[in-house]
Amino acid sequence: MEPLWGLLRRATIYRRVEGPQPGHLEEEEEEGEEGAEPPASFCPMELKGPETLGSRQGRPGNIPWAAAGQKAAPYLVLTALLIFTGAFLLGYVAFRGTCQACGDSVLVVGDDVNYEQGLDFHQGTLYWSDLQAMFLRHLGEGRLEDTMRQTSRRERVAGSAGMAALAQDILATLSRQKLDHVWTDTHYVGLQFPDPAHPNTLHWVDTAGRAGEQLQLEDPDAYCPYSATGNATGELVYAHYGRPEDLQDLRARGVEPAGRLLLVRVGVTSFAQKVASAQAFGARGVLIYPDPADFSLDAHKLGLASHRAVYGHVHLGTGDPYTPGFPSFNQTQFPPVESSGLPSIPAQPISGDIASQLLGKLKGPVAPQEWQGHLPGPPYHLGPGPGLLLEVNNHKASTPINNIFGCIEGLSEPDHYVVIGAQRDAWGPGAAKSAVGTAILLELVRTFSSMVSNGFRPRRSLLFISWDGGDFGSVGSTEWLEGYLSVLHLKAVVYVSLDNAVMGDDKFHAKTSPLLISLIESILKQVDSPNHSGQTLYQQVVVTNPSWDAEVIRPLPMDSSAYSFTAFAGVPAVEFSFLEDDQAYPFLHTKEDTYENLHRMLRGRLPAVAQAVAQLAGLLLIRLSHDHLLPLDFGRYGDVVLRHIGSLNEFSGDLKARGLTLQWVYSARGDYIRAAEKLRKEIYSSEERDERLMRMYNVRIMRVEFYFLSQYVSPADSPFRHIFLGRGDHTLGALLDHLRLLRADSGVEPGLGFQESRFRRQLALLTWTLQGAANALSGDVWNIDNNF
């Protein structure tokens, strides 16, 4: 028994050791209490072979204490075995899953069911609260405010010398961190700039069509990149925000936009959408101005100076419009084509002062009350007014831009990337546009680098990117996607954008893919509100609207770098924004977008709000990069499909009258919902420690967004192939617009009404893309169970 007793006395246990390597586990010998000795009745026993019955009869009488020991021995052995077995089982439960060949990550066990562990058990169990505390501790050691201020004061127009210097500084900053890889990616893109020798001009035109007095543009550096160049002459018409419904309303009121110049307001839609709508209605040119009515009417709040114009590109798309569908590594290798999103009419931003002069000259009907703004002068009229001559002399220049990358390799899934990025360039000071995002990005790099130095290692790779050319329509990010799409659609898990992150502090919006909604809800419950003490961001939201997602969630807009990731590459993406409750941030894309104005706009809370964004993004990155099972809610798309396709029901009677049916798209919808539910049940009943199985599930989950890219249209002709978020005849939105023509007035021009052949093609594209998503979610081909 002595060997067994010694074994029990020397049982190995593990304890956490605080020191230079937090979370390290050290072996120690479990000692009994000082001076403890074995019980008196427990004696060493000589091990002998079995005795025969005859030999026992001839033995001398037993010594009393020896006889007692012999009687107690079986019970002592049994007791020892029970203790040993209990200790073994306890150790197995505590340390099951241990892998002797694992690396240096930490074990993560979370309060949330989606929290899964890493692979390394040498450093002990690190709960979600511990990992969260580690992140927040290192994040709080940074200099976020100083970085925002310094970045906003640097010249950083894409292609400029200032941008080149900033790029070198950021590259050096990343190189000093504990990253596995740091590199740059250069693209040669076509950008458009104003011509200082031939500035853009605006003149009155007399009744004979001759150019007269020039209206002096007070902000001559403001321009619309990718505007058509040349002259446009026509009478002026006021068209509100320049939306299609605004232009239709103009026609209904007897004011024809075709053949005229349109005066439209900043806001609601992008510059590119305004110009595209004007072109579609036959306008000759567009003037875009900021109206005070779209900003705060509170005299105590900051407002945009009346002589300031607003910058904005007018390419209805993203990336380099001169190499659509191709990466701009070397333009000479590609045919001389242009994006269909480039406008054929000129556009120019003007100030509120110039717009006030123009509105004062308009005649015709008085604009509707909801179209009235707050420029000084009489009520706005629709026009037409006097003739104008708009001359745009912008020039195209082949310009090198540089994206900068830093990577922390994942331990067990290094080939799956969680990507976070921020635009670096800006037309003006760009504090809100890009300085805040750049500063947060650098702080997250530093924070995660410090965590790696203290033992953290994510399962999946973290990829940090500083984009160039963002002010020209997400050029840097889109060109990178185009260049590496064949890799990224298989490996990129999620994209998180830090652009436009802080433009207020009252409201919080998340422009996102549906796959991330549930995860965002979870993270909002763990981040403190920057301006409501004692409340989380989630509590701040539900106070005003119990339906938190209706208050927070928005679709991804085309002018976000996140849009291309989802609509073009099929990668789920999100962009966070803090906004003012009662006004839009008035300085965005102007020369007044300074750190000081943004700081004053937030009443001194800019650092606190930026810190909240950094916490949101950082906790999101931890979950996405370290959870054993990807926390993407693939079932959420079932709700999206139901909601969108449910809107088709109102047209079923009209189609039935024509011998057409929506039955097949309904069947595809059902197949997707069943496939999602089946996968959910498989995951729920599976062994979560089966690495091979979990990876198979993760691959299916991370590609759900890609499944909604139509495989039946060309990426070069229709780059945004997403059937819910994209643009083109293959989308659900285009199908619904076409179906509405079934009920249009009989006065629709020939060829512009409902066309059965077009409808059949649209329905086929939608049906088979949705069916393909259902089949892919089902897994292997032998698991597909559909109704077709």
Side-chain angles (χ1 to χ4, degrees), residues 119-136:
L119 293 175
D120 182 12
F121 296 81
H122 299 300
Q123 296 187 357
T125 300
L126 186 60
Y127 290 89
W128 163 242
S129 57
D130 299 325
L131 190 54
Q132 185 179 24
M134 177 193 289
F135 168 75
L136 295 177

Side-chain angles (χ1 to χ4, degrees), residues 147-148 151-152 154 156-157 163 166 170 422-441 466-467 470-471 498-502 588-589 593 598:
T147 307
M148 288 188 292
T151 303
S152 66
R154 299 184 67 161
R156 55 190 193 284
V157 175
M163 169 56 82
L166 178 59
I170 289 179
Q423 174 183 330
R424 185 174 71 251
D425 63 302
W427 170 74
K433 181 60 182 176
S434 63
V436 169
T438 296
I440 294 173
L441 179 72
S466 174
W467 304 116
D471 261 2
L498 298 173
D499 298 338
N500 306 307
V502 181
L588 192 67
H589 288 134
D593 183 15
L598 182 59

Side-chain angles (χ1 to χ4, degrees), residues 149 152-153 302 431 594-601:
R149 182 186 295 108
S152 66
R153 291 176 178 171
L302 295 177
T594 63
Y595 176 87
E596 290 72 23
N597 275 342
L598 182 59
H599 197 58
R600 289 168 60 197
M601 187 81 180

